[in-house]
Amino acid sequence: MKLKNQDFNQREDICLWKRENGDFKPGFITSQTWNLIRSHSPKIPWFKGIWFPEVWNGTTRDLAGGCTDKWSQVVQVLARGLKEETLTFLMKYYLQAVAYALWYERNVRRVGEKAQPASCLIARLDKLIRNRISSLRGKAGGKRHEQAMQIWFGRR
């Protein structure tokens, strides 16, 4: 097979990203790439409680207004949301942060590193959540999270 010389060496390389419709275009779109590479499964009833757009302990119960610390009930509260939007955000974000922290700690232990005391894990989670709240307050649309820091400090 013989290739024609089309001055390919004279052209600048460009990145093209595949879209869900099969076209290739410049510009990366996370949601489209995610939909192309993930395994599609039916939605489960409690998915809204864990995935939302924007150390499991009494904090979850405190954020939920003292209503529960049982997993099945927490999932229902997360899926329905709480009366106050900021509390719902904090509870969802806290649950995600705890899940990540536990996964990370598990991986650290699997490779033979020393386990962190619970107090270090709790301090790391607290800092992570405070940093996230701070980052949201400065962004467009962040007004809805203005009281989040006050609520977080009052309930931890």
Side-chain angles (χ1 to χ4, degrees):
M1 177 191 304
K2 205 173 197 184
L3 296 175
K4 294 180 182 179
N5 184 356
Q6 297 182 357
D7 280 335
F8 286 121
N9 292 338
Q10 303 302 319
R11 295 184 189 173
E12 193 171 318
D13 288 339
I14 60 169
C15 291
L16 297 176
W17 296 91
K18 189 174 182 180
R19 302 289 192 243
E20 290 179 272
N21 64 5
D23 292 344
F24 287 85
K25 295 186 177 184
F28 178 77
I29 300 175
T30 305
S31 62
Q32 295 228 355
T33 302
W34 168 245
N35 283 329
L36 288 168
I37 64 171
R38 75 183 183 99
S39 298
H40 294 270
S41 301
K43 288 182 181 174
I44 50 178
W46 47 268
F47 81 96
K48 287 184 180 179
I50 295 179
W51 301 108
F52 65 168
E54 314 186 38
V55 163
W56 187 263
N57 65 15
T59 304
T60 305
R61 182 177 50 249
D62 291 343
L63 288 172
C67 62
T68 188
D69 61 356
K70 294 182 181 172
W71 176 250
S72 61
Q73 293 173 348
V74 168
V75 168
Q76 289 176 0
V77 168
L78 290 171
R80 280 193 319 262
L82 299 166
K83 290 180 182 178
E84 192 174 329
E85 183 183 5
T86 304
L87 280 177
T88 300
F89 162 77
L90 285 171
M91 191 169 172
K92 287 179 179 182
Y93 193 74
Y94 180 77
L95 181 61
Q96 288 181 354
V98 167
Y100 171 77
L102 294 175
W103 169 83
Y104 182 83
E105 183 65 21
R106 181 194 131 242
N107 286 345
V108 165
R109 291 177 185 192
R110 286 183 74 188
V111 297
E113 292 184 30
K114 187 178 175 186
Q116 293 290 313
S119 60
C120 289
L121 181 60
I122 291 167
R124 194 174 338 133
L125 284 167
D126 182 55
K127 185 172 185 173
L128 175 73
I129 291 168
R130 286 185 285 123
N131 286 344
R132 181 62 177 149
I133 293 168
S134 293
S135 72
L136 287 172
R137 290 191 306 179
K139 291 185 177 182
K143 289 221 184 259
R144 66 186 184 137
H145 299 299
E146 283 295 321
Q147 293 180 334
M149 192 70 81
Q150 292 172 345
I151 293 170
W152 180 251
F153 281 134
R155 294 186 180 244
R156 61 184 188 135

